């Protein structure tokens, strides 16, 4: 919540932070970012993001480590009393996977995606949902 005064990752020191079990945030805070987690009063793990937000709204946790897109959607849903930090725990990559035999489907999806990039729809959606617009990277493997 805006009222907590949390504006940076360092401000999470001494706070109770929630995270959804098994997400990239949970994995990072349990591994590569364990030094950050060590500054928290507690890291609480929840079954899903809805429970995380219920706990945040109830005041039983101070913050949530959550994907940017989900956070933006929840903030839009629950109102502007919630804020997202400018800092992130780590960059994230998303992928679309296809069966090896679906080369044509893969090519069709890639072409459609590139059309969204070329006509500006990708940028518009990324800005609308607060995503990093410099992060687009297409890798065909």
């Amino acid at each position: 919540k805006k009222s907590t005064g949390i504006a940076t990752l360092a401000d999470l020191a001494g706070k109770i932070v929630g995270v959804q079990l098994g997400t990239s945030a949970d994995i990072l805070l349990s591994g590569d970012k364990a030094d950050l987690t060590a500054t928290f009063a507690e890291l609480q793990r929840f079954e899903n993001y809805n429970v995380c937000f219920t706990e945040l709204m109830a005041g039983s946790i101070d913050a949530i480590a959550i994907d940017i897109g989900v956070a933006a959607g929840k903030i839009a849903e629950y109102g502007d009393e919630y804020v997202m930090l400018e800092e992130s725990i780590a960059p994230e990559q998303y992928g679309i996977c296809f069966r090896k035999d679906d080369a044509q489907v893969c090519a069709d999806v890639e072409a459609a995606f590139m059309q969204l990039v070329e006509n500006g729809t990708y940028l518009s959606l990324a800005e609308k949902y607060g995503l990093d617009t410099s992060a687009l990277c297409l890798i065909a493997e």
Side-chain angles (χ1 to χ4, degrees), residues 72-94:
K74 291 292 187 182
I75 289 170
E77 181 180 346
Y78 291 116
D80 64 356
E81 71 179 280
Y82 300 94
V83 294
M84 200 173 354
L85 299 183
E86 294 289 326
E87 290 178 89
S88 65
I89 296 171
E92 188 152 18
Q93 296 179 354
Y94 296 92

Side-chain angles (χ1 to χ4, degrees), residues 21-111:
L21 279 165
T23 60
S24 57
D26 184 24
I27 293 165
L28 282 166
L29 291 171
S30 301
D32 291 349
K33 298 295 180 171
D35 55 335
L36 174 62
T37 306
T39 69
F40 302 165
E42 184 180 352
L43 178 64
Q44 292 188 5
R45 292 176 170 87
F46 298 99
E47 182 179 328
N48 61 57
Y49 288 133
N50 292 325
V51 176
C52 289
F53 266 87
T54 300
E55 296 296 326
L56 183 65
M57 290 187 299
S60 50
I61 61 175
D62 301 300
I64 303 170
I66 189 171
D67 291 342
I68 291 171
V70 176
K74 291 292 187 182
I75 289 170
E77 181 180 346
Y78 291 116
D80 64 356
E81 71 179 280
Y82 300 94
V83 294
M84 200 173 354
L85 299 183
E86 294 289 326
E87 290 178 89
S88 65
I89 296 171
E92 188 152 18
Q93 296 179 354
Y94 296 92
I96 303 172
C97 300
F98 302 92
R99 293 180 297 211
K100 288 182 180 184
D101 294 340
D102 288 340
Q104 186 57 53
V105 173
C106 179
D108 292 345
V109 169
E110 183 176 358

